[in-house]
Amino acid sequence: MAIRKAVKGTAAVASGGLVAFYGLTQLTEYRKRQARLSRVEAVEQVNMAFQDELPSRQAQLTALRATQEFDVLVVGGGATGSGCALDAVTRDLKTALVERDDFSSGTSSRSTKLIHGGVRYLQKAIKCSVFTYVDTGMVLEMLNMRRKSGGTPLLIVTFPLCVRWWQLPYYWAGIKIYDLVAGAQCLKSSYILTKTKALELFPMLKRDKLVGAIVYYDGQHNDARMNLAIALTAARYGAAIANYTEVVHLLKRVDPQMGKERVCGARCRDVITGQEFDVRAKCVINATGPFTDALRKMDDQKNPNICQPSAGVHIVIPGYYSPDNMGLLDPATSDGRVIFFLPWEKMTIAGTTDTPTEITPHPIPMEEDINFILTEVRNYLSPDVEVRRGDVLAAWSGIRPLVTNPNSKDTQSICRNHIVHISDSGLVTIAGGKWTTYRSMAEDTLDAAVKAHNLSAGPSKTVGLMLEGAKDWTPTMYIRLVQDYGLEVEVAQHLASSYGGRAYEVAKMAHVTGKRWPIVGKRLVSEFPYIESEVQYAIKEYACTAIDVIARRTRLGFLNVQAAEEALPRIVDIMGKQLTWSEQRKREELSAAKQFLYYEMGYKARSEQLTDTSEITLTPAEVGRYMKRFHKFDKENKGFITTVDVQRVLESINVYIDADTLHEILNEVDLNKNGQVEFNEFLQLMSAVKKGQVSANRLAILMKTAEQSLDQTEKPVSVDRSGGGV
C-alpha cells in the first residue's frame, strides 16, 4: 500500500512577502480545528480511570501473558511508541506496549533536549523561496506541541536562545515571522539586543563581527524522564507495558473474509529471564524508530526500507561555558549545519551533527564529530575562553529515524515529517517525525489504526492531558520538601523538577544522613543533586539495570561519565538489595555499566592528552619519576586518574577515606573540572610544588606516601595528619 504522509498539501511558490500571508491563512484553519477538538477532549477526559499505584513489572508481564487479546499492541518504548500507547489507552482501547531495551534507551534520550517550534524549517522554507503546506503544517504542529507541553511544567522550562550572526536584519525578519505564525502558541516575543547588551547577558561571545543578537524562546526538557512520564502515565491509565521484552516474530492468521494473512500479535521474549510468550492483538503498531525497517521485514521480507538513519552527536562541557538562563544557536556553521549551545542541568550541551550512519542499538560518538563541535564552539566564543578537549565531560550519539526522500542527495535535506503506513497484512508503522510532535504523531497513528482495523474508539484525548507527576506540582513545592523532610535546597529543586508531585514519595524513601544538615538525602556523588533514594524509586519506575539508573532515571551518565562511574558501586549495591541480586549479578551489572560509559558516553572517543610543558619546570629525570608515581594509580594507562583509581590504591594499603573527602582532594588539582586528573595536571602540580607556589597539597602528599608504602610495604602517614594545610 502507498505510504500516507501525515501532512498533505501542494507546493506554493511564494516571495518573502507572501510567506507570512500564506502561513496565517493555514494558521486560521488550524486554530479553528484545534479549538473544536480541545472542547470535545476536555469533556471526554473527565471520567478516565487512573491507577494511583503503578503495577510492578512482573504484574505487567502477567497481564501481557494472561490477556486473551488486546486492541492495540505497540512495539517500541521511545517517545513515539509511548505516545501511541497513551493515546490508545485513553481512547479506552485495551493497550499493550513492549520495548526490547529500556524506555527511552534509544534516540529519545539522546536529543538536543529542546521542545522547539521548528524555526529551522521555517528558515529553510523562506531561504528556498518555496513555502509548502507540508513545511507550514509541521511548524504549526511543533508550535502547538511546544505550547501544550507546558501542561507538564516539571519537565518543560522556557528559556531564551540567542541567535548570533552579522546578518541581523535577515534573521530578525525570519524570527518575527516565526512569532507571527506561532500566534497564541508563542511562548514569549522575540527581541533584538545591542552588541553591548548581548555581551552583558552572554559574556562568553566573541566580540569580533558581532553587531547584535536576536533572542527568541523555545522549550527545554529532560528527554528521558519526559519519555518515562508518558509511558508511566499510559500504565496508570491501564496499559500493560514492559521494558526488556523483545519481539521474536510477528503472529499471523488468515482472515476468512479477505483470504490473506493478517498480523494478529507478536511472540515476545522477556530479555531478563529468557521466557517467551504470545501477545495477541487486533492491531500491531510498529514504533521502533531507527529499527522500523527490521520489524517491517519481519512482516514481509520484500518490504523496502523507508528510513534513512542519521547520527547526531552531542557533547557536554562544564556549565561555565554558557550563562545559566540563555542558550545560543549558530545557524550557519562551516559546513552549513546548525549548532546549539545550551545550558542544561547546570552543564552546557553543544551539538549536533547530522551524518549518515549504520543502524546499531549502541551508537558510539566518534572523535571527529566531537572535534567538529568543539571547533564550531571556538568560532563564536571569546578568545579568553579556551575550549579544551579535556573539558568534554560526556558525549553521545543518537540515531535519527529520518524518512527517506528518493530525490534527496544527503540526509540533511531529508524531510523530518512523519509518515503512517499500513501494510497489506495490517501492520501499522509510524516513522520519522520529531520529539516535539510525538503527541500528534501518536494521534495520527491511532486514527489510521482505528480506521484500518475497525476498532471501537473515539477521537484522541491527549491534548492537555496531565502526565506523571504533574498533578501536584507547583513552582514552590521544593520549599515544602526542604521544610517537611530536611532536604538540601538543590536536591529539593531537582526532585521537584524531575518527579513533580511524586517527589514526596522519593523524599519519604530518603535515609537519614547523620549530619546536622541536610537531615535526609545522601547524595550519590557530591557535586550532583541525585540521592540514594532515587535508585530505590527507579525500581518502581521499572528500572532493571544500573544503566537504567545512570542514563535515564537520573542523567548522571549523560552529564559526567567520571561521576557516574564513581556512583556505580553504590547504585549496584542498592539495586542488589532491592532486587536480591547475587554477587555475580552485581559484578555483571558493574561491568556492563562501565562498558556503557566507555563506549556510548564518550570514554572511548577521548583523545590522548598531550603533555603541555609550557608551565612545567621539571627536569627529564623528575618527569620520569613522577610518571612512575602516576602510573602506580593509573594502572590502565588511561592518561588520567579518578577517585576510583585513588581509592583502589588506598584500600590496597589499608587506608580508607570517605568518597566526599577524596573527591575534594582531587578537585583541588582538577584544573578543568572534568572529574579527573590528567598526567599534565599532575605535572603542573608537582612543578608548582617545586617552585614553592604550593606548600602542601593533599593529593601530592597522598600519592607520594602511597608510592612509598607500595614500594617499601610500609603504612603511610594518615592524610588527616600530613595533608591538612600549610
Side-chain angles (χ1 to χ4, degrees):
M1 295 177 67
I3 292 176
R4 181 174 69 84
K5 285 198 174 181
V7 184
K8 296 181 180 179
T10 56
V13 179
S15 65
L18 292 177
V19 168
F21 175 77
Y22 189 90
L24 287 172
T25 301
Q26 302 301 328
L27 179 59
T28 302
E29 294 302 317
Y30 179 86
R31 285 178 179 162
K32 288 179 181 178
R33 179 172 65 88
Q34 290 297 320
R36 287 195 299 270
L37 286 175
S38 296
R39 285 194 295 270
V40 173
E41 290 158 351
V43 175
E44 292 180 334
Q45 190 178 309
V46 175
N47 297 319
M48 287 184 177
F50 191 85
Q51 300 179 39
D52 204 34
E53 285 294 323
L54 276 174
S56 66
R57 179 175 179 273
Q58 189 56 49
Q60 297 282 32
L61 289 170
T62 300
L64 288 173
R65 292 189 185 97
T67 302
Q68 185 175 359
E69 185 181 49
F70 289 95
D71 292 317
V72 173
L73 167 62
V74 181
V75 182
T80 304
S82 298
C84 287
L86 181 58
D87 192 285
V89 75
T90 52
R91 296 190 195 209
D92 296 325
L93 293 171
K94 193 178 294 184
T95 305
L97 179 148
V98 293
E99 161 60 46
R100 73 174 180 181
D101 205 295
D102 186 28
F103 303 115
S104 195
S105 59
T107 307
S108 297
S109 63
R110 304 172 189 234
S111 72
T112 311
K113 322 304 180 193
L114 287 178
I115 294 291
H116 61 90
V119 66
R120 288 189 294 166
Y121 308 113
L122 186 62
Q123 177 204 1
K124 183 180 289 187
I126 297 171
K127 196 170 183 180
C128 296
S129 298
V130 177
F131 203 60
T132 68
Y133 180 61
V134 172
D135 291 325
T136 309
M138 186 175 186
V139 172
L140 291 174
E141 182 56 46
M142 293 174 79
L143 289 165
N144 184 53
M145 268 306 303
R146 182 188 66 177
R147 180 180 65 83
K148 284 182 168 57
S149 293
T152 313
L154 67 150
L155 294 171
I156 305 293
V157 296
T158 302
F159 76 108
L161 281 169
C162 174
V163 182
R164 182 200 65 82
W165 195 246
W166 62 272
Q167 294 176 309
L168 199 61
Y170 169 76
Y171 285 101
W172 177 83
I175 290 296
K176 278 303 171 186
I177 292 174
Y178 184 61
D179 286 350
L180 192 62
V181 171
Q185 275 84 281
C186 186
L187 296 175
K188 293 182 182 180
S189 295
S190 59
Y191 55 91
I192 293 180
L193 293 176
T194 63
K195 177 178 180 178
T196 301
K197 191 65 177 178
L199 290 171
E200 179 183 330
L201 295 176
F202 208 126
M204 304 83 174
L205 285 177
K206 185 181 292 185
R207 293 174 177 269
D208 299 346
K209 299 181 181 179
L210 178 65
V211 174
I214 302 168
V215 176
Y216 78 96
Y217 288 80
D218 262 338
Q220 189 180 60
H221 70 157
N222 183 332
D223 52 6
R225 288 214 59 89
M226 180 71 163
N227 191 159
L228 186 63
I230 299 166
L232 295 180
T233 305
R236 289 191 187 276
Y237 276 109
I241 67 172
N243 53 351
Y244 294 100
T245 306
E246 67 177 349
V247 171
V248 178
H249 61 80
L250 295 174
L251 302 178
K252 292 187 178 182
R253 60 175 172 79
V254 177
D255 189 328
Q257 294 181 345
M258 304 179 68
K260 60 181 180 181
E261 285 191 328
R262 303 281 289 176
V263 173
C264 62
R267 180 71 173 177
C268 298
R269 184 175 73 92
D270 183 347
V271 174
I272 295 175
T273 65
Q275 295 179 351
E276 294 189 6
F277 54 92
D278 290 340
V279 179
R280 298 194 175 275
K282 297 173 184 175
C283 170
V284 176
I285 295 175
N286 174 11
T288 53
F291 304 95
T292 293
D293 291 320
L295 198 66
R296 279 166 47 80
K297 291 184 184 298
M298 209 179 275
D299 176 30
D300 184 351
Q301 282 294 327
K302 296 179 181 178
N303 278 332
N305 291 342
I306 62 172
C307 283
Q308 176 63 50
S310 171
V313 173
H314 295 79
I315 64 172
V316 172
I317 50 182
Y320 55 70
Y321 274 96
S322 65
D324 292 337
N325 59 355
M326 181 172 283
L328 185 144
L329 164 64
D330 184 357
T333 60
S334 58
D335 66 352
R337 288 181 280 191
V338 173
I339 286 287
F340 287 96
F341 194 67
L342 311 168
W344 184 67
E345 299 288 324
K346 299 190 177 180
M347 295 295 177
T348 300
I349 290 179
T352 178
T353 59
D354 191 358
T355 53
T357 187
E358 296 295 322
I359 294 177
T360 171
H362 305 292
I364 299 173
M366 304 305 292
E367 184 64 26
E368 52 265 35
D369 289 322
I370 294 173
N371 285 327
F372 165 78
I373 295 171
L374 289 173
T375 299
E376 294 301 326
V377 168
R378 292 186 186 101
N379 289 338
Y380 52 77
L381 292 188
S382 167
D384 294 337
V385 181
E386 184 182 356
V387 181
R388 300 174 293 193
R389 177 60 180 83
D391 289 342
V392 177
L393 306 177
W396 68 84
S397 176
I399 300 178
R400 303 185 188 94
L402 307 182
V403 181
T404 303
N405 180 345
N407 299 319
S408 172
K409 294 182 179 180
D410 58 75
T411 60
Q412 289 167 261
S413 61
I414 288 176
C415 181
R416 261 70 169 181
N417 289 348
H418 62 277
I419 62 169
V420 178
H421 174 260
I422 302 175
S423 71
D424 291 338
S425 64
L427 177 67
V428 179
T429 295
I430 170 68
K434 303 289 289 183
W435 226 122
T436 308
T437 59
Y438 86 89
R439 195 211 62 81
S440 66
M441 291 168 64
E443 181 180 354
D444 289 344
T445 305
L446 265 296
D447 285 345
V450 167
K451 183 178 180 181
H453 292 272
N454 297 315
L455 301 177
S456 178
S460 175
K461 302 173 184 177
T462 54
V463 172
L465 184 71
M466 298 184 80
L467 299 182
E468 174 80 355
K471 181 181 177 182
D472 297 320
W473 181 89
T474 67
T476 57
M477 71 167 288
Y478 76 92
I479 297 176
R480 280 190 57 195
L481 290 169
V482 173
Q483 294 176 338
D484 294 351
Y485 295 94
L487 291 163
E488 293 175 80
V489 173
E490 184 185 12
V491 170
Q493 290 173 332
H494 153 66
L495 294 181
S497 65
S498 297
Y499 301 91
R502 303 288 173 184
Y504 297 113
E505 297 180 38
V506 182
K508 288 175 184 176
M509 293 180 176
H511 296 294
V512 176
T513 63
K515 301 178 181 178
R516 182 184 62 81
W517 189 262
I519 298 172
V520 300
K522 293 182 179 179
R523 294 196 182 205
L524 290 169
V525 285
S526 60
E527 71 267 43
F528 289 95
Y530 302 116
I531 58 176
E532 291 182 354
S533 61
E534 288 183 77
V535 182
Q536 296 173 260
Y537 192 76
I539 297 171
K540 293 185 65 175
E541 295 181 323
Y542 305 127
C544 299
T545 70
I547 296 174
D548 297 343
V549 174
I550 62 173
R552 292 171 287 275
R553 303 311 184 278
T554 73
R555 306 312 306 275
L556 198 51
F558 279 76
L559 294 170
N560 189 317
V561 290
Q562 298 286 352
E565 184 184 36
E566 184 181 327
L568 271 176
R570 184 58 184 145
I571 291 172
V572 170
D573 184 54
I574 295 171
M575 294 189 76
K577 290 178 181 178
Q578 295 286 315
L579 299 173
T580 62
W581 285 346
S582 65
E583 290 301 318
Q584 176 63 25
R585 174 66 188 274
K586 287 182 181 180
R587 287 191 291 271
E588 290 172 355
E589 284 292 328
L590 200 59
S591 175
K594 288 182 177 180
Q595 286 288 96
F596 169 78
L597 294 174
Y598 183 76
Y599 287 103
E600 297 184 52
M601 291 293 110
Y603 250 149
K604 186 177 185 296
R606 187 179 184 82
S607 60
E608 295 182 0
Q609 299 293 309
L610 299 177
T611 301
D612 177 10
T613 58
S614 59
E615 301 177 21
I616 298 172
T617 56
L618 298 172
T619 65
E622 289 171 328
V623 171
R625 184 169 74 250
Y626 293 137
M627 180 178 292
K628 178 184 175 183
R629 181 178 300 173
F630 191 82
H631 284 305
K632 294 283 186 182
F633 293 79
D634 182 21
K635 290 289 187 182
E636 300 168 351
N637 293 321
K638 303 184 299 294
F640 60 86
I641 60 174
T642 67
T643 55
V644 175
D645 298 315
V646 176
Q647 199 163 43
R648 183 185 63 244
V649 172
L650 293 181
E651 288 178 355
S652 71
I653 58 175
N654 299 318
V655 174
Y656 300 93
I657 301 176
D658 68 85
D660 289 344
T661 302
L662 198 55
H663 186 274
E664 290 173 5
I665 292 172
L666 261 71
N667 197 49
E668 294 172 358
V669 185
D670 181 12
L671 302 179
N672 55 17
K673 304 305 177 188
N674 63 353
Q676 60 195 33
V677 176
E678 284 88 6
F679 180 57
N680 180 56
E681 290 174 326
F682 179 64
L683 289 181
Q684 290 187 35
L685 166 66
M686 300 316 298
S687 180
V689 171
K690 178 183 177 181
K691 291 186 289 188
Q693 296 173 344
V694 175
S695 57
N697 178 268
R698 291 189 287 177
L699 181 64
I701 296 172
L702 183 66
M703 293 181 71
K704 179 179 179 180
T705 53
E707 180 187 36
Q708 291 173 345
S709 179
L710 291 171
D711 290 343
Q712 303 172 15
T713 323
E714 294 179 357
K715 188 174 181 178
V717 180
S718 168
V719 173
D720 291 335
R721 293 172 54 192
S722 64
V726 179

